[in-house]
Amino acid sequence: RVDVIVHASGYHLVRSIERIAADFYLLDASGSMSIERWKKIISASKKPGARIYVSMMRGCYSGQNIDSIRPQGGTEIWWSYWNILDRMSPGQKLLIISDFDSNVPLTPRERALIEQKVRQRGVTVEAIRL
């Protein structure tokens, strides 16, 4: 597991992300996030066939165009993370883009369950903390 913590913007952010192409993306659509940053990261790293999922407490629907999503609400990304793992096949990579500023932090047991599921699925998970 690799965590990438990014505090840069613009060109430097895009250049540092190019090598993190993923099969799945999980975007935090909480009120503290910027849709412009998502677009820069995805345009720099998305490979053909990659699937993009948005974690949002309310206000979006399946199949919605990413350009029409307006971040709002809290950062409750853990349920989305858990469910995306079920869609993944061994050897695939998930890139999570979030500030991970959750109102409901994971317990040590919940964290261990997610880590176990990642190992069992045989997938790689990377995170960009914005």
Side-chain angles (χ1 to χ4, degrees):
R1 184 178 141 213
V2 175
D3 288 330
V4 178
I5 301 173
V6 179
H7 294 286
S9 62
Y11 178 77
H12 296 292
L13 171 66
V14 171
R15 294 296 303 164
S16 65
I17 300 307
E18 286 178 339
R19 295 181 300 266
I20 308 179
D23 302 291
F24 289 79
Y25 291 81
L26 176 57
L27 308 176
D28 171 359
S30 65
S32 59
M33 297 298 291
S34 163
I35 194 168
E36 294 308 316
R37 281 187 163 177
W38 293 345
K39 288 179 184 178
K40 286 179 184 176
I41 291 168
I42 291 168
S43 69
S45 68
K46 184 177 181 285
K47 62 184 181 181
R51 302 203 54 191
I52 300 171
Y53 292 89
V54 175
S55 181
M56 191 171 191
M57 291 181 67
R58 58 181 155 32
C60 70
Y61 54 88
S62 182
Q64 184 174 358
N65 184 308
I66 195 168
D67 292 327
S68 68
I69 295 173
R70 298 295 168 247
Q72 61 180 309
T75 307
E76 307 316 327
I77 199 163
W78 307 116
W79 178 251
S80 301
Y81 178 16
W82 179 265
N83 284 290
I84 285 176
L85 292 173
D86 291 331
R87 298 174 183 265
M88 298 179 71
S89 299
Q92 289 186 315
K93 183 187 291 187
L94 168 63
L95 178 60
I96 302 172
I97 303 170
S98 178
D99 60 8
F100 295 97
D101 187 20
S102 177
N103 292 327
V104 183
L106 290 177
T107 66
R109 181 176 186 284
E110 291 167 333
R111 184 173 305 280
L113 287 171
I114 290 175
E115 290 172 357
Q116 178 183 9
K117 189 171 187 176
V118 168
R119 282 191 305 277
Q120 287 174 341
R121 300 293 302 178
V123 299
T124 302
V125 178
E126 295 188 28
I128 298 173
R129 186 180 302 260
L130 295 176

